[in-house]
Amino acid sequence: MQAPAAAAAATVSFITPYGQDYRLKAARLCPRTRQEKQWRRNHFDLCTAIHETESACVQKPIDPRVTEPIKPAYRFDVSLEPDIFTEEKFALFEHYQYHVHKEGPDQVSRQGFKRFLCSGMGQKQRIHNGRRQELGSYHQCYRLDGRLVAIGVLDLLPECVSSVYLIYHQDVKEWSFGKLSALREISLAIEDLEAYSWNPLDADHLARLSARKYVSMSLERQLRLPPRNLTPADDLGLDDEELTQLRKYLQSGETVGAFGSLMPGLMTLDEVQNEANLDGWRVKLSDSITELRQWYTWNIMDPSSPKGVIAELAAALGPALMSQFVLDFRQ
């Protein structure tokens, strides 16, 4: 069985659309240094390997024999787009449903496609740890020589990337788009949030987890943090930029809840307070149904309080669905 890194490298190598002619010319016109070759033999960087397949990142040195840039066999482009309907996307969805799921023309419609894969959470952006982060529902579109050949339907959430659906054309089924899309989504999660790596759950790691609400081992190492609670007397030798990064890191452990996450598709706090009748939401505390009235001392912005939990649920459901639900606290 291949190791994960070796398997990922093999998949990326298999779908790289360079072509043998391009590879030979590129090796001659822009050879890698000895140090780079040695590093690549012993390391595999997923994000680097993934982006090397894109046409915008492919090297195109001038071939002196013909005084023109060398070109790969195919132009491969990947773009992250809002989950809006287009005829181009629907044509690919229709082809996929016909050939993979064996559905008939009466089972595939534009309205069904819109409802299924083009009506997600909308899109927003937020600044997280000093970096811009995309949130919401997107289509990751794969194009070969300008032709749309695959779409990955994604929900970009504050803490992860959720893969919803994948469609691809039968002309490229040999390219293993299931594996390729999974690797690209892993890369997207790394780039959209922060660098992740495997760390042993040893005594040092456990001490850090006990000392802080949120732990990023990469930042802990970068900021040279001890595996204990920090005190005002600690002198970590940080410069101003690192001190700012430390403050943001420590604040990231504070629970902000749904309203602080800027999650697309959720009602805002003002909308919940003005449009959702939280005080009148029916609850079940015993065998009888009653209204939740005695809760005015709880903070709606505290996601650990009963009022905060119910407010976040209301933000996700909306007023129309709230009237159809009874909250059951008996379990």
Side-chain angles (χ1 to χ4, degrees):
M1 179 180 293
Q2 286 182 302
T11 298
V12 175
S13 176
F14 176 71
I15 58 86
T16 301
Y18 294 155
Q20 186 63 19
D21 183 63
Y22 171 87
R23 290 178 183 275
L24 293 174
K25 290 180 179 178
R28 174 171 54 85
L29 298 174
C30 46
R32 295 190 176 113
T33 65
R34 180 180 299 176
Q35 292 81 359
E36 184 179 4
K37 291 179 180 178
Q38 182 177 1
W39 190 93
R40 284 174 174 263
R41 279 195 297 268
N42 299 306
H43 301 84
F44 174 71
D45 183 272
L46 175 61
C47 295
T48 299
I50 281 292
H51 290 299
E52 282 182 344
T53 66
E54 300 169 9
S55 61
C57 300
V58 173
Q59 293 180 306
K60 303 179 182 69
I62 299 294
D63 186 345
R65 298 175 182 176
V66 294
T67 64
E68 292 181 355
I70 63 173
K71 296 180 181 180
Y74 305 101
R75 178 181 176 86
F76 185 57
D77 298 291
V78 183
S79 60
L80 192 65
E81 306 174 6
D83 64 337
I84 60 174
F85 173 90
T86 68
E87 288 294 334
E88 179 188 37
K89 294 176 182 177
F90 174 69
L92 180 60
F93 173 75
E94 186 178 44
H95 171 89
Y96 182 80
Q97 297 302 111
Y98 287 173
H99 290 83
V100 175
H101 293 290
K102 310 302 180 183
E103 294 183 351
D106 59 333
Q107 296 175 289
V108 182
S109 67
R110 287 170 174 79
Q111 190 59 37
F113 174 56
K114 291 177 183 178
R115 184 175 60 253
F116 181 32
L117 298 176
C118 303
S119 58
M121 301 177 291
Q123 296 81 35
K124 284 186 179 180
Q125 294 178 350
R126 73 167 182 171
I127 303 300
H128 179 70
N129 288 339
R131 298 173 61 185
R132 188 181 72 176
Q133 181 185 5
E134 305 289 345
L135 296 174
S137 299
Y138 290 85
H139 290 161
Q140 186 149 262
C141 297
Y142 301 81
R143 290 182 169 85
L144 194 61
D145 288 337
R147 173 192 173 198
L148 184 66
V149 295
I151 301 173
V153 183
L154 309 177
D155 286 340
L156 306 187
L157 307 175
E159 304 299 335
C160 66
V161 173
S162 174
S163 180
V164 178
Y165 204 66
L166 173 71
I167 58 178
Y168 56 86
H169 200 281
Q170 290 297 285
D171 288 353
V172 294
K173 66 179 180 180
E174 301 299 330
W175 281 35
S176 300
F177 263 97
K179 295 179 181 178
L180 171 62
S181 64
L183 293 174
R184 281 201 162 266
E185 288 151 21
I186 294 170
S187 174
L188 181 60
I190 294 171
E191 296 167 337
D192 206 33
L193 296 174
E194 57 182 281
Y196 295 110
S197 59
W198 292 104
N199 295 280
L201 192 62
D202 53 17
D204 178 87
H205 200 147
L206 290 172
R208 295 175 190 275
L209 290 172
S210 298
R212 287 175 271 286
K213 294 181 179 179
Y214 170 76
V215 172
S216 165
M217 290 303 293
S218 60
L219 285 173
E220 295 265 330
R221 296 189 188 99
Q222 179 182 335
L223 298 173
R224 303 178 293 282
L225 302 185
R228 55 171 172 77
N229 287 312
L230 298 178
T231 69
D234 286 326
D235 183 6
L236 303 176
L238 304 179
D239 58 30
D240 291 343
E241 183 177 345
E242 289 174 325
L243 284 172
T244 299
Q245 189 174 17
L246 174 61
R247 282 193 292 270
K248 290 180 178 179
Y249 171 53
L250 296 178
Q251 290 170 359
S252 67
E254 299 299 322
T255 302
V256 297
F259 297 119
S261 70
L262 301 179
M263 188 64 218
L266 292 181
M267 298 174 68
T268 65
L269 178 60
D270 288 341
E271 289 171 339
V272 168
Q273 291 175 318
N274 295 326
E275 302 174 23
N277 182 19
L278 295 183
D279 296 344
W281 202 347
R282 296 176 299 168
V283 300
K284 231 178 185 181
L285 301 176
S286 59
D287 290 335
S288 61
I289 297 176
T290 183
E291 292 183 351
L292 189 63
R293 297 283 187 180
Q294 308 300 320
W295 70 335
Y296 298 104
T297 59
W298 292 325
N299 182 2
I300 195 173
M301 281 296 292
D302 180 2
S304 63
S305 74
K307 191 173 185 177
V309 171
I310 291 172
E312 291 188 353
L313 179 59
L317 291 177
L321 286 179
M322 283 176 58
S323 63
Q324 303 177 34
F325 280 80
V326 173
L327 299 178
D328 191 341
F329 288 99
R330 294 176 301 169
Q331 299 298 322

